[in-house]
Each structure stands twice: as C-alpha cells, then as structure tokens.
Amino acid sequence: MANGICPTLALRSSTGVEVWKPEGFKAPYVPDSGFARDESKLCRAIVYSPNGRFLAWANGTTVQICTVPDWKIVHKLPRPKAFYLKFSPGSTYLMTWEIYTENPKDEVKEKPNLFLYDVASGKEVFSIIQKRHADWEMHWAADESLAALMVGGEVLFYEVKPNEAFPSKPTKRLGGARNGGVSVSPGQSPPYVAFYVPGTKGAPSMCRLFRYPNLEANQPIASKSFFQADKVEMLWNKKGTGVLLLTSTDVDQTGQSYYGKQALHFMTVKGDSFAVQLNTEGSLHAVAWSPRSTEFCVVYGFMPAKATLYNLKCDVVFEFGTGNRNSIYYNEFGNLLIFGGFGNLPGYVEVWDLNRKKQITELRAPDTTLLEWSPVGDVFLTATTAPRLRMSNGFKIWHHTGALLHETHWPEKQELLEVIWQKYAPGVLKENTITNEKVEGIASKTPQESKQKYVPPGMRNSISGGSGETANHAASVRAPIPGLPPGYRSSVQQAKDKKQKNKNKPKASEGQGNQNNKPTNGTPNNRATSAGAGNSTGGNQEKKSRPKTAPNPNPLAQEENATPPAAPKPTQKGSGDPEKDKKIKNINKKLKDIKLLKEKNERGEKLEQTQIIKMNSEAELIKELKALKTS
C-alpha cells in the first residue's frame, strides 16, 4: 500500500473480537497472533481511537481498552451493558452508552446510562441520564475545549479546561428544542454551533448558527427556516466553515416517494444561506462533503440517479451523469470517490478520479452492507455483515483500479457483525498519487448468480424442439426420484395419463376421417367432411355409393341457370320533414314504454301515480300518431 503503511482490521463477530493484519506489503490479511482474541459472544461495539493509538470493545462483561500495535490491555471498564462506544476527537475521553431502563424495585429508579471515561487513567469523570437513542453522544470541538449534549429539549455545554477535571455541571444551556438537535463545528476554536428547532402548530422548523459563547436568540450568525422537515441532519465540512442541512419528512404528501421527501440547504459561518437546487425530481439519496472542504457531492433523482458536484456557492462544478447509485464515499484525501448502489440495488461500484474528473473503473460487489476506504486512500473494503444479511458473511479488499486483493468468507453458522480500519492521526499519512495502472488481483470464489432461465422440475428432462406424441411424452417424464427407476409414475399419475389418452382419441379419429374423406377430383366435399366428423365409417360408405358426375362442359350456362341473389330489403324512408319524423319517433318510444307498464300492471306490480297517468295517455298518443302519418 501507499506510504509504506499497512493498517490493521478489527472484526466483531458472533464468536468474539479479533484483529487481522497483512502478512506483507499488499499481502492477504490474516489474524494477528499478537492480539489475544476475545471469544465473548456478546460483543456489541468496537471502535478505534481517532489517533489510532487505542482499540476499545464491549464484550458483555467489561469495556476493554488496549494499545496499538502491541495490543496490551490497559483498562477494563465495569460497563457490562455498554451498547455504544465513541472516542472524543483527541482520543482523551471514551464515551459509553447503555439502553436506559428503570427498575421499580431499586431505591434510585433513574440511574445514569451515559458515562465518560478518561482514557489515560481509566477513571469515570462524568455520567448523566441520556434517554435518546439517536444522537446520544457528546458533540466536541476539535481541540476538546467544548462538549455539547442534547438532553430532552435542552442543550448542555461543558467547557473543558486543560489540566482540570471534567466539569460536573454545564457552563451554558440552550433550550426550546424538544426533539431538536445540535452540532458543533470541527476546525478552529471557539467553535460554531448549529441548533435545530422543530416547528410546531404551523410554525416552520428553523436551524440557527451561533458562535460560542454567544448563544442568545438575537445573536445567530445565520438562520434558515423550512416547513417540510420532520428531522434534520447537520453535516459540517472538515474545516468547519459550512454546514449542510439535509431535511426530510416521513411521508411524501405528493406520493412520489415511499421514503418521504428530502431537501438540502447550506449555511456558512459568514452568514450566507442557500437552498441547493437539484435539477431533477425524485428522492435525495446521499450527500457527502469532500475532505478538502471546498465542494460536496449529491446523488438524487429517480433511478438511474444523477450525481452532481457543487462548490461553496452551491454552483454546479461537475456532472457525473446518471447511474444505479444511492451512496457516496470519499477517501481520506478527497482525490478518489466511490458511488455505490447497495440495499435494493445489486452492488454497483463506480470509482472516480476527482483530480481529472474521470471514471477509473466499475465493478460489482453484491450483498454489500458496509464499504469503507482504507486510511491510506488507495484501497477500500466491502463487507456483508449481520444483522442486515445473515447469509454469506465475509469481507473483500479492492484496489481502486478494480482488482480484488483479498477475500474472506466467514464460516457457516457464524455471523460477521462489523469490520473497521485502523485510524491514524492527522498528518501521519500523505496523499498518494492516483494512477490507472492495472494491479494484478485474485479471482473471487464467491458463487456467481445464475443467468439461466428457471425451468420447473417437471420440465427439466423434456426434449426441446420435439412435436406431437414424442414431445408430450418427454414433457411428462419427471426427474428420477431417489430410490425409484427413471420414469416412475404413481397410480394417480397413471390414472391421469389414461384419462388424457382417452380424451385425445376422438381428435385422432377426426384427423383420420378428414384425411380419408378428401375428394380425388380436388373439389371440396363438405358433406363427406361433416359425415366423417361424426362417423368415419359412414362417410366412407357414402363416398363409395355416390356415382361420379361428369364435369359441366358449359360453365356459362350453369351461371345463367343459377338462382340470382336475393334483392336487398328496402330501407324505410321518412316523411321528408325532420320535425315530423322526430315527433313520430318520440311517440313510438312512449307507446313502447306504455306497453311495458301494462305488462307490469298485469303481473300485479304496484305502479306510481306518474306511471298510471302515462299509461292512460295511450289513446291520445295513438290518435296523434295517426294524424302525423296521414298529414
């Protein structure tokens, strides 16, 4: 790999936690014998520290922290129920979160479930009740001088000073955001804070941008309001100079998308705000910042989806065209980009060189549930993991030119849950040079999907192209049943065959009769044909007893003696007066209705008063009709 560095892989499975490393430069990955494999079956989380010096995992009994690369366990934290783990940006603290529960039998019903540990000493420095499952963690400034936590509808800010204990009480509070969100910018300090407040009672939702510690309602640097937003995802660029707001609704009122409706907005720390214009209809599938912080990419629209690159003014920089894609992955340096088509798409992968704005390769990685670039930036990992998919678990490592470098199939009856790359501190790795030179890879042993057309079992031994009795017989022969001779038919099947054979007999006789009743002189003989259809023997006897007739020497005389065709029936002509004809037609219609009413009356059906009046007017209508016809 580039930079002469080969990062390790940490794997979490249903049988424990293990670490894999390459045997050599660009060599296959194998389990690292220096790491003592944790064989606990209750491992719920695993994470590398941002500087790559520590690896932590929760095994259902304790949270263990070990150093890299000697894999020496330095701390065992007493958190058996830990569900999530996350390091602070500087790897100084480790956050653990447990599912919040209350036990009525306990004296203290409400107990903290979010804990903060000092990684150097392994001591607990902070704890609090955090009932939120999503957005449970603290949001840190890049230098760890500030930590923000959303609890209930209030944001708590903790100012962390060097060489001092973590504060037990918040320094500032920002309320009024029940079910809202907060995000702290990376980059320079003091940081910027994005604060999302959901709309209520017809009021729009709003996202405000503050510069800490100025958090008053009249002190925002920028603000953006929007109506159609059930939730908002805030995405900062790496330098902390701009934030993308991905708004979404659970239900699309227009009915165009099953996944709701999305919109994209952009705010800068200079006070500007924009709505990102997407030039086609459909869902917004993915959005991601470039690590260079100068542009971002969006995948949107109906399949095949479009992909567009925007600058910080939300102007279009480059169009990637359309393709079957719904996800975006930048490498560490922002010079390579992957478009993935996963989930309900069959694993399309496109690799693009962003320096030249050119596609390098495309490949297929079916059943992929996880894709992650190596920190080195020239290879990437794809994996099939549980619980998303519980069959055919495993992982592969690919070169950016499309060559498969490594493949591991996980053992059957075991589940691969997570695979993560080792991380490195900023500045350790340098940007690699992108080339299109093909790298020699290995052949995948993953079974390929069959392209043959499905044939039912009963038709698999049939002879294609046959006709008549041979084809019918071949189609009825099933594949041999284990333990029985080929072509074996049960008594029920034999009865069906006999019934079908008897059913086809008249058709055979009919064909034979038609063949025997063909006239020898080439003229049609309808009588013989119809007799043959009823009784083939009678048809033959009639044919033998009938004397042959000589051909007519004068066909013209025959035509003269022929009966002339019947003359067409003359059509009834009107009176010539359109108004009179219209009146006659209406009277005839009324008389017809009266006739139907009389029949109902004779059957004893009850008539309405209007129907009785209409029936009594028959004499007047007849008199009027006669007058019209005689005039």
Side-chain angles (χ1 to χ4, degrees), residues 404-407 409 440-446 448:
L404 179 61
L405 303 179
H406 175 83
E407 181 179 38
H409 295 281
E440 184 179 357
I442 62 174
S444 175
K445 296 181 180 180
T446 303
Q448 300 296 323

Side-chain angles (χ1 to χ4, degrees), residues 249-369:
T249 59
D250 296 331
V251 179
D252 184 3
Q253 300 295 339
T254 62
Q256 293 183 353
S257 174
Y258 174 80
Y259 302 99
K261 189 174 183 179
Q262 301 86 21
L264 190 62
H265 306 272
F266 177 57
M267 291 195 303
T268 69
V269 295
K270 295 180 180 180
D272 301 325
S273 61
F274 310 94
V276 181
Q277 300 297 326
L278 307 177
N279 55 10
T280 187
E281 295 182 353
S283 300
L284 198 159
H285 305 287
V287 57
W289 275 104
S290 167
R292 298 173 178 175
S293 301
T294 57
E295 56 194 19
F296 60 92
C297 185
V298 186
V299 173
Y300 58 97
F302 298 111
M303 291 295 164
K306 295 189 66 175
T308 305
L309 200 63
Y310 294 88
N311 59 17
L312 295 181
K313 294 182 179 180
C314 296
D315 296 329
V316 175
V317 176
F318 182 73
E319 293 279 2
F320 294 93
T322 59
N324 295 312
R325 50 174 83 114
N326 55 14
S327 51
I328 306 170
Y329 305 91
Y330 278 96
N331 75 343
E332 186 70 21
F333 308 102
N335 54 3
L336 288 175
L337 173 68
I338 285 179
F339 292 116
F342 306 124
N344 56 354
L345 296 176
Y348 296 108
V349 176
E350 305 172 34
V351 184
W352 286 75
D353 182 353
L354 293 180
N355 293 333
R356 294 181 294 173
K357 302 294 189 298
K358 184 178 180 181
Q359 182 175 338
I360 297 176
T361 187
E362 59 182 1
L363 54 97
R364 288 281 298 274
D367 300 331
T368 296
T369 59

